[in-house]
Amino acid sequence: MAKDGGSCATCLLCLYSCRWTRSKKGLRTSKCDCAWFFFLFCVCLSTLAWLYLALVTLNDFHNLNEYIFRKTEWWLDWSVVMLSGTATLVTYSSLLLALLILTALGVAAAFVGLEIQWAEQWESAHISLQATGPFLHIGAVVGVTLLAWPVASWFYRTSRTALKVLLLLLYLGAVVALYVAPLGIDSPCLLEHSQLPPQASSVRASWRSHATVMPVSLSLSVSPPLQLAPENTLMSFQKAVDCGVRVFETDVLVSADGVPFLMHDERLSRTTNVKEAFPSQAHLNASTFNWTELQQLDAGSWFLEKRPFPTARSLSPEERALARAQQIPSLEQLLAEAGRHNMSVMFDLRPEEDPQYERLVNVTVETVLGSGIAPELVLWLPEEFREQVRQKAPRFQQVYGRKRLRNETGQVRHVNLPYQNLSSAEIREYRRDNISVNLFVVNAPWLFSVLWCAGTSSVTTNACQVLQGMQRPLWLLVSKAALRKGTAPPPLRWGWLSRETSSCPRAIALLTCISQRVPQPRATYQMIWIVTDCVSFLLISWAFLLLKRWNRKSKSAGSDSVVLLTKIHSLMSE
């Protein structure tokens, strides 16, 4: 099909083809080799895409760990398994170690499983592109530009016109698609620092008690599981206080004798020693136990033994002893501590499908009203019998776990939703209408940065110790005018503009130099986009023109050799 001498394309095909042979005419590549190389290339891209998606899902991976535990009664941090397996697949397909077809099937199964069991992570991936899109675009343009050399080599060495046209169309189609990709990139972090919504000020914290951002400024609320203490314990509440959070979010069940207590799971086996204390009752729902039995359970040792978060290893000896001493707290105990620290409390009342749910609501409301906590500090989340609760406790802050209805005005002032359920435009719309937006569960700094730029009022997190220390989003595209005025933030961990410069002697300063002439962040990004595409186009054109020239020279040299051999043969014949 093609004689691939010593070119770069030949080297790639030799390394990644299913077979290659050497004959007197040189190294030859068959159709099978090209098909295998194309298949390998597609598999490699698929594994890289899955690796990116796997990194995005780390923000919510604890939910999957809990789900698997409920099904198997076996605790393991499956994120380590997933990432190590994915990294192995990427290496496999990249280096062609073996079993490429099994790699392709494994990646396909992973994508299908994600769609069936965890479909909301597709929206998480979409949100992540708001943070990484500008950087991925530049990286992809660099990659496709580097491919120009082997593509041009194949193009000029292939004799079949149909194959040439197909190769050129595929490559140019990919190039054009990448060049115009920024038309679909809309990151909320493309704004001036002066336009940045208020900085995060507090966190809702706990292990199954989260940190939340409140209406006044972006803040955090702690939710169980807090990464620093056993979930739904007074230790987790104290850790939330130490983080400076403004809201403590948790889950409430009601015992058989009518005592509301903190617990996320309907069964006690994951977070207590119920199997040792009550082996015959371990399979029963937590609400079937009375308060006296619940007080006999150890609610903290599991955190040290199972280590659901890497931060569990960092606890001091005193903190470990405190964790082992934790018991299941009642809602009344939590409210007493919250009132003492003037901290708000938000909770789900479970299980919602209980046929006597109205009784659970009444018992919980009576407990709250009798605890002595200021009613304004209670954020009431349960949807059922809300009007009844509003009549009994009109000073509770009503928080809705749904989007507001069309033409609904006045009633909805606070919403609490998964971060995948609201777009950046919807967040800004809610804020314009003076509706505070709390999104859960947000643990990753990149996700917190995107939601911060979008204008989210608050977030619920398990990682208050991480998010509370962030003084600014991870990156913010600001104009040079803002840098000159001193209104831009200090250099970020990574971002478009990393330092002030008066000239552009190095490539790393290019983005800053471009922004000197463009006043607005979006215009700055457009300029970066245009310059990147133009430089890429010039390099691709140079590669094709240079290889065309070399190809002509090699053909000319080959023709001269044929003429010389013909003359020699004629002389020898005479």
Side-chain angles (χ1 to χ4, degrees):
M1 185 172 112
K3 295 182 179 181
D4 295 322
S7 69
C8 176
T10 300
C11 295
L12 289 174
L13 286 171
C14 289
L15 289 173
Y16 290 102
S17 64
C18 55
R19 62 183 181 83
W20 52 286
T21 57
R22 183 178 297 276
S23 65
K24 294 180 180 179
K25 297 181 178 181
L27 189 65
R28 300 183 64 86
T29 304
S30 68
K31 294 180 180 179
C32 172
D33 298 329
C34 293
W36 186 259
F37 175 77
F38 179 74
F39 176 61
L40 172 66
F41 181 73
C42 293
V43 171
C44 188
L45 286 183
S46 299
T47 52
L48 286 174
W50 173 253
L51 179 60
Y52 176 83
L53 191 57
L55 293 173
V56 170
T57 62
L58 289 180
N59 181 79
D60 304 297
F61 216 88
H62 188 79
N63 296 333
L64 181 62
N65 290 340
E66 289 183 1
Y67 172 79
I68 295 176
F69 178 84
R70 288 194 295 271
K71 295 295 183 181
T72 65
E73 293 285 319
W74 185 35
W75 180 266
L76 181 66
D77 186 359
W78 292 96
S79 63
V80 176
V81 177
M82 180 185 68
L83 287 178
S84 58
T86 303
T88 300
L89 292 180
V90 171
T91 305
Y92 238 30
S93 56
S94 300
L95 301 180
L96 194 63
L97 297 181
L99 302 178
L100 182 61
I101 295 178
L102 290 181
T103 300
L105 292 176
V107 173
F111 278 113
V112 172
L114 189 72
E115 173 64 27
I116 295 174
Q117 193 61 43
W118 214 5
E120 64 269 20
Q121 289 305 312
W122 292 114
E123 185 60 31
S124 300
H126 177 261
I127 295 173
S128 75
L129 292 177
Q130 297 180 27
T132 61
F135 304 96
L136 290 178
H137 166 248
I138 292 179
V141 170
V142 171
V144 79
T145 303
L146 293 177
L147 280 176
W149 187 272
V151 168
S153 176
W154 282 331
F155 179 79
Y156 290 118
R157 291 177 179 276
T158 300
S159 57
R160 298 176 61 178
T161 304
L163 188 59
K164 279 188 174 184
V165 172
L166 177 62
L167 179 65
L168 192 61
L169 287 177
L170 289 175
Y171 180 70
L172 292 181
V175 170
V176 172
L178 286 175
Y179 283 176
V180 300
L183 293 175
I185 296 176
D186 183 21
S187 174
C189 290
L190 297 176
L191 76 165
E192 295 284 3
H193 186 252
S194 59
Q195 300 170 332
L196 184 66
Q199 176 182 346
S201 61
S202 61
V203 187
R204 288 187 204 165
S206 140
W207 225 88
R208 278 290 175 257
S209 314
H210 303 276
T212 302
V213 183
M214 298 308 296
V216 177
S217 62
L218 183 58
S219 61
L220 305 173
S221 72
V222 179
S223 141
L226 185 63
Q227 297 180 0
L228 301 173
E231 66 177 82
N232 287 315
T233 61
L234 294 181
M235 180 181 177
S236 65
F237 177 83
Q238 187 57 51
K239 288 290 186 180
V241 173
D242 296 341
C243 271
V245 306
R246 301 176 61 181
V247 179
F248 187 83
E249 187 273 339
T250 186
D251 300 283
V252 173
L253 300 179
V254 179
S255 68
D257 53 347
V259 178
F261 64 96
L262 310 190
M263 181 60 58
H264 175 261
D265 297 358
E266 292 187 10
R267 295 184 180 180
L268 300 167
S269 56
R270 182 175 65 88
T271 58
T272 72
N273 64 335
V274 67
K275 290 183 178 179
E276 291 76 28
F278 303 101
S280 62
Q281 299 174 257
H283 64 285
L284 299 179
N285 286 348
S287 56
T288 62
F289 290 77
N290 61 45
W291 181 238
T292 302
E293 292 171 329
L294 291 171
Q295 284 292 278
Q296 300 177 40
L297 298 177
D298 176 357
S301 296
W302 72 275
F303 186 77
L304 303 176
E305 296 167 358
K306 297 177 181 177
R307 295 179 179 177
F309 296 105
T311 48
R313 298 182 177 88
S314 64
L315 298 182
S316 66
E318 294 78 11
E319 290 174 324
R320 290 174 177 271
L322 181 60
R324 291 190 180 93
Q326 294 303 298
Q327 294 178 308
I328 297 175
S330 67
L331 177 60
E332 186 175 7
Q333 290 173 321
L334 172 65
L335 294 175
E337 289 296 312
R340 191 163 65 89
H341 292 279
N342 197 34
M343 181 183 292
S344 297
V345 174
M346 182 171 72
F347 56 85
D348 277 315
L349 181 59
R350 309 174 66 181
E352 293 86 349
E353 64 276 7
D354 192 309
Q356 298 191 17
Y357 192 72
E358 184 176 4
R359 181 185 70 84
L360 304 184
V361 170
N362 292 332
V363 168
T364 303
V365 172
E366 291 171 3
T367 300
V368 174
L369 294 177
S371 67
I373 190 173
E376 294 80 5
L377 294 178
V378 178
L379 308 183
W380 186 264
L381 189 56
E383 188 65 33
E384 296 294 327
F385 307 103
R386 186 182 291 275
E387 287 304 318
Q388 182 177 322
V389 173
R390 197 192 305 269
Q391 293 174 8
K392 286 187 177 181
R395 293 164 62 190
F396 284 1
Q397 295 192 55
Q398 299 294 326
V399 181
Y400 291 80
R402 60 170 175 81
K403 293 183 180 181
R404 65 176 176 179
L405 305 177
R406 182 172 295 182
N407 300 325
E408 184 178 21
T409 58
Q411 185 178 19
V412 177
R413 306 305 331 151
H414 312 287
V415 296
N416 179 60
L417 296 168
Y419 69 86
Q420 299 99 333
N421 285 18
L422 280 183
S423 66
S424 297
E426 289 175 315
I427 292 172
R428 289 190 288 267
E429 178 185 344
Y430 277 42
R431 291 301 298 272
R432 283 196 303 268
D433 295 339
N434 200 28
I435 298 175
S436 68
V437 177
N438 180 69
L439 301 179
F440 62 89
V441 172
V442 178
N443 297 322
W446 69 262
L447 180 56
F448 184 61
S449 298
V450 172
L451 299 179
W452 182 353
C453 292
T456 302
S457 308
S458 61
V459 299
T460 294
T461 182
N462 304 324
C464 62
Q465 78 283 1
V466 175
L467 303 189
Q468 194 63 36
M470 293 179 60
Q471 300 301 313
R472 63 190 71 86
L474 288 182
W475 71 272
L476 195 67
L477 183 62
V478 300
S479 66
K480 189 66 177 181
L483 288 173
R484 286 197 296 268
K485 292 177 182 178
T487 59
L492 305 183
R493 237 177 284 179
W494 53 284
W496 295 109
L497 307 179
S498 58
R499 56 173 160 294
E500 182 91 33
T501 179
S502 57
S503 60
C504 301
R506 293 176 297 213
I508 195 169
L510 174 62
L511 301 181
T512 306
C513 296
I514 293 171
S515 67
Q516 286 178 325
R517 302 174 179 83
V518 187
Q520 297 300 323
R522 290 192 180 277
T524 303
Y525 176 56
Q526 291 173 1
M527 183 63 72
I528 294 171
W529 159 31
I530 293 171
V531 169
T532 301
D533 289 354
C534 289
V535 171
S536 170
F537 177 76
L538 291 175
L539 291 176
I540 291 174
S541 301
W542 174 78
F544 272 83
L545 292 175
L546 185 62
L547 284 175
K548 181 179 180 180
R549 183 179 178 183
W550 285 358
N551 188 60
R552 285 179 176 176
K553 286 185 176 181
S554 63
K555 285 184 177 180
S556 175
S559 299
D560 293 342
S561 299
V562 170
V563 171
L564 179 60
L565 290 174
T566 303
K567 289 182 177 180
I568 293 175
H569 179 72
S570 300
L571 290 173
M572 292 179 66
S573 298
E574 292 175 359

